[in-house]
Amino acid sequence: MQGLMMDVPLLISNLIRHAARYHGDTEIVTRTVEGPIHRYTWADAYARVQQLANALQGLGVKPGDRLATLAWNTHRHLELYYGISGVGAVLHTINPRLFPEQIRYIVNHADDQWVFVDLTFVPMLEKLAAEFPKVKGYVVLTDDAHMPETTLPNARSYESLIADQPAEFDWPQFDEKTASSLCYTSGTTGNPKGVLYTHRSTVLHCYCVCSPDALGICSRDSLLPVVPMFHVNAWGCAYSTAMAGAKLVLPGPKLDGASLYELFESEGVTITLGVPTVWLGLLAYMAEQGNRFSTLQRLVVGGSAAPLSMIVALEEDYGVDVIHAWGMTEMSPIGTTGVLKGKMLRLPKEDRYKLKLKQGRVVYGVELKIVDDAGNRLPHDGTAQGELLVRGPWITAGYFEDDAATKAAFDSEGWFRTGDICTIDADGFVQITDRAKDIIKSGGEWISSIDLENAAVGHPGVAEAAVIGVHHPKWQERPLLIVKPRKAGGVDKAEMLQFLEQRVAKWWLPDDIVFVDELPHTATGKLLKSKLREDFGRHRLPGA
Ligand code: ADP
């Protein structure tokens, strides 16, 4: 028997309409690419989103067309999020930090019709435009006064595009499974792969993100996403702030400690989100200046493992609750969040930190399983490690026009292979031990490169650390630690080994340590292990 409830589609246009109606006076503040702070409200944003929707129709944009953005976190980018998806087209956010070669592939693979680009990225795009035969034109995210001389064909300013348009638009109602946005994973090998979100998956993910045991975003929050809007839709922030009616503070291109701290304080920021490298930069600035946060309550860290030293500093020195989260582009991205349960609040401090160091516990809506090499399920006992597979309504069902990648990504039961190795405990806490391809296989045992890296960055002389497996004649692979010291010569090998001996099992100790000036990163700020393997894979270990 069918139930008797309304069949109202979950559409992205309804999110901003809600924010404009009932949180119309709540602010959206942007540090613009041009420099000054821009300030308006959800009601103002909605009026301009409707102008944009009219302008898009004027450009001849059709449902399903892909429209690309190369842009920072700004109010104009936010308007594109709602305007493009709202008319039934697909918002394709491109990570401008990708190699030009990857951007060329992505724009052509996605068959983008128009490209919306921040001033910062105009020169880079000018060099590529000749290779985009299908792109009809470019919209530079600025006004006519700041419009640069450009060789981009059919280019105009965003403000001139929307200026004379009516601020009312009748949003089309369509199937909630319609594609809303497209985001390519940076992928350290092979071509980038496109994840195509739906209106339904986006809105369901948004409910999850706002729930108290996930990130608990509410109308009292002032939220600053450091995570870029070109990286998995800023982990859903652009949508969840509208659902909650929260204040949104967009940092534009300035992500250094001083600029972030200034916005945290001036805009009463209560919650912020970003990858560990950003927080390392902020913590270094805070320590140098002797500053304090006056309003910041929660800090969400994900994308790579958060080291214990960072969690402890944020919680104990600055009184900020750290929420360690895990997810993927393919998962919209949230899979687990590290909000402690009531029974855990009474645990001794060390035990609470052990839990906070894990990647969080599973949210409702995502199912997890771990399997061994033969695909057999392993117990959720906090000890058994295996490959993590996931299932749920905001997890990808296949890559955009990429059959080969799709085929490899799912098991016979249709679960998505994350490529991560982890344990899961009875409370649903996940601890990622490694990427499957990064784990070090030493004499039949596994060594977690993440655990070793975390232990190494706990040393005050270490700015950043990476561990890779290097061939060993007897053990198959042994760990090599690569360290970027805070000061050149500030820490030596013997001291480092002594420090690690207190913190990891003896057989985990790296066989060698090398010191470098810089470590390579991916376009999303993660350690680029493939490059390190290329550079150090043939490193001769002492005694090997
Ligand atoms: P990209 O690097 O292409 O942006 P994603 O952001 O989708 O890709 O990366 C997802 C991967 O990042 C996960 O599969 C996992 O390996 C890693 N990751 C994400 N969050 C964490 C975390 N908190 N701790 C450790 N690894 C993480």
Side-chain angles (χ1 to χ4, degrees):
M1 184 166 76
Q2 292 278 297
L4 268 172
M5 302 305 277
M6 290 188 193
D7 191 10
V8 178
L10 303 173
L11 297 181
I12 287 172
S13 51
N14 288 339
L15 290 172
I16 190 157
R17 193 178 57 186
H18 170 80
R21 271 194 194 153
Y22 302 111
H23 305 276
D25 56 355
T26 300
E27 279 184 314
I28 299 168
V29 180
T30 299
R31 189 190 295 282
T32 60
V33 178
E34 295 90 340
I37 297 289
H38 175 274
R39 196 177 285 279
Y40 70 170
T41 63
W42 279 108
D44 299 331
Y46 187 48
R48 281 168 54 92
V49 166
Q50 292 178 90
Q51 287 184 289
L52 171 63
N54 282 308
L56 293 176
Q57 289 206 326
L59 290 178
V61 170
K62 299 273 176 307
D65 281 356
R66 271 78 70 198
L67 306 189
T69 63
L70 278 134
W72 299 109
N73 292 5
T74 70
H75 63 293
R76 292 189 184 109
H77 203 179
L78 183 76
E79 291 162 15
L80 291 163
Y81 261 58
Y82 285 101
I84 294 175
S85 301
V87 302
V90 179
L91 167 86
H92 174 201
T93 52
I94 300 180
N95 183 342
R97 296 186 188 128
L98 291 172
F99 295 117
E101 184 53 33
Q102 292 174 307
I103 295 181
R104 190 182 60 74
Y105 171 84
I106 287 177
V107 170
N108 288 320
H109 185 264
D111 204 0
D112 290 325
Q113 305 282 303
W114 294 87
V115 180
F116 295 77
V117 54
D118 260 336
L119 287 165
T120 323
F121 310 116
V122 168
M124 182 242 289
L125 213 51
E126 284 175 336
K127 294 197 192 105
L128 290 171
E131 298 179 72
F132 299 150
K134 299 255 187 74
V135 172
K136 294 178 181 155
Y138 296 81
V139 180
V140 182
L141 297 172
T142 190
D143 54 19
D144 279 350
H146 293 87
M147 188 65 188
E149 283 284 317
T150 176
T151 59
L152 287 175
N154 194 15
R156 60 189 303 182
S157 78
Y158 179 82
E159 293 301 329
S160 74
L161 175 72
I162 68 167
D164 298 324
Q165 300 292 338
E168 270 168 27
F169 188 80
D170 196 10
W171 296 106
Q173 300 294 299
F174 40 73
D175 180 355
E176 64 186 21
K177 291 189 182 138
T178 304
S180 57
S181 62
L182 176 64
C183 184
Y184 282 72
T185 65
S186 30
T188 46
T189 52
N191 281 326
K193 293 171 284 189
V195 179
L196 189 60
Y197 308 99
T198 64
H199 285 256
R200 173 187 155 82
S201 70
T202 304
V203 175
L204 289 177
H205 178 258
C206 201
Y207 276 115
C208 165
V209 168
C210 289
S211 66
D213 269 7
L215 306 183
I217 296 164
C218 74
S219 59
R220 275 169 266 167
D221 276 320
S222 169
L223 181 150
L224 187 152
V226 184
V227 54
M229 289 165 79
F230 53 74
H231 190 194
V232 213
N233 302 322
W235 301 349
C237 291
Y239 306 117
S240 44
T241 44
M243 181 179 271
K247 175 172 174 177
L248 184 56
V249 184
L250 299 167
K254 293 213 167 147
L255 305 177
D256 59 285
S259 307
L260 289 177
Y261 179 73
E262 188 186 296
L263 281 180
F264 285 150
E265 292 300 302
S266 63
E267 303 308 325
V269 171
T270 55
I271 175 167
T272 184
L273 306 86
V275 295
T277 29
V278 169
W279 306 134
L280 286 175
L282 179 69
L283 280 173
Y285 170 80
M286 298 291 285
E288 195 184 287
Q289 303 289 315
N291 281 340
R292 286 269 162 276
F293 297 116
S294 33
T295 55
L296 189 65
Q297 298 160 356
R298 283 120 70 215
L299 181 145
V300 183
V301 55
S304 321
L308 183 64
S309 48
M310 174 192 290
I311 299 175
V312 173
L314 282 161
E315 299 227 338
E316 297 197 354
D317 301 346
Y318 298 102
V320 176
D321 188 14
V322 175
I323 305 176
H324 194 183
W326 166 86
M328 303 181 78
T329 305
E330 290 87 339
M331 299 175 67
S332 300
I334 299 287
T336 60
T337 53
V339 176
L340 298 188
K341 293 186 183 179
K343 66 177 181 184
M344 296 161 179
L345 298 176
R346 294 183 291 277
L347 291 172
K349 200 161 79 176
E350 293 69 40
D351 293 341
R352 269 186 285 132
Y353 280 131
K354 272 188 199 145
L355 286 170
K356 290 228 156 181
L357 191 59
K358 294 190 177 198
Q359 273 71 11
R361 65 192 160 88
V362 65
V363 293
Y364 174 75
V366 173
E367 285 178 83
L368 308 176
K369 70 173 176 181
I370 40 175
V371 299
D372 63 16
D373 285 346
N376 302 311
R377 285 191 190 224
L378 296 169
H380 294 191
D381 60 4
T383 312
Q385 310 190 38
E387 189 195 348
L388 176 60
L389 288 91
V390 292
R391 196 169 79 142
W394 55 82
I395 293 166
T396 188
Y399 292 106
F400 180 59
E401 304 206 338
D402 193 336
D403 290 342
T406 299
K407 218 166 157 197
F410 299 87
D411 75 355
S412 57
E413 296 174 351
W415 291 61
F416 175 75
R417 295 179 194 283
T418 65
D420 286 333
I421 305 288
C422 75
T423 62
I424 306 175
D425 70 18
D427 288 304
F429 271 88
V430 163
Q431 183 146 29
I432 306 281
T433 33
D434 233 321
R435 295 290 293 163
K437 56 184 188 303
D438 295 338
I439 201 144
I440 298 150
K441 296 188 170 151
S442 172
E445 300 284 349
W446 288 359
I447 299 176
S448 158
S449 66
I450 293 186
D451 283 359
L452 267 179
E453 286 158 7
N454 279 348
V457 290
H459 188 288
V462 174
E464 212 180 357
V467 173
I468 58 166
V470 172
H471 174 73
H472 189 283
K474 177 162 172 210
W475 301 110
Q476 181 188 0
E477 269 184 351
R478 288 294 304 158
L480 170 71
L481 171 63
I482 306 161
V483 169
K484 174 184 163 186
R486 278 194 199 285
K487 271 200 333 257
V491 51
D492 67 23
K493 192 167 145 183
E495 189 186 336
M496 204 61 232
L497 280 173
Q498 205 182 16
F499 179 82
L500 290 174
E501 261 169 27
Q502 328 277 320
R503 287 161 179 82
V504 301
K506 199 161 179 350
W507 63 276
W508 280 36
L509 284 176
D511 282 29
D512 203 2
I513 304 180
V514 290
F515 295 90
V516 293
D517 295 336
E518 273 311 324
L519 284 167
H521 293 96
T522 68
T524 49
K526 299 175 195 196
L527 286 168
L528 187 54
K529 296 262 174 107
S530 56
K531 175 82 170 81
L532 288 171
R533 279 192 280 266
E534 223 173 275
D535 294 350
F536 295 99
R538 287 167 196 276
H539 183 86
R540 187 73 194 269
L541 296 171

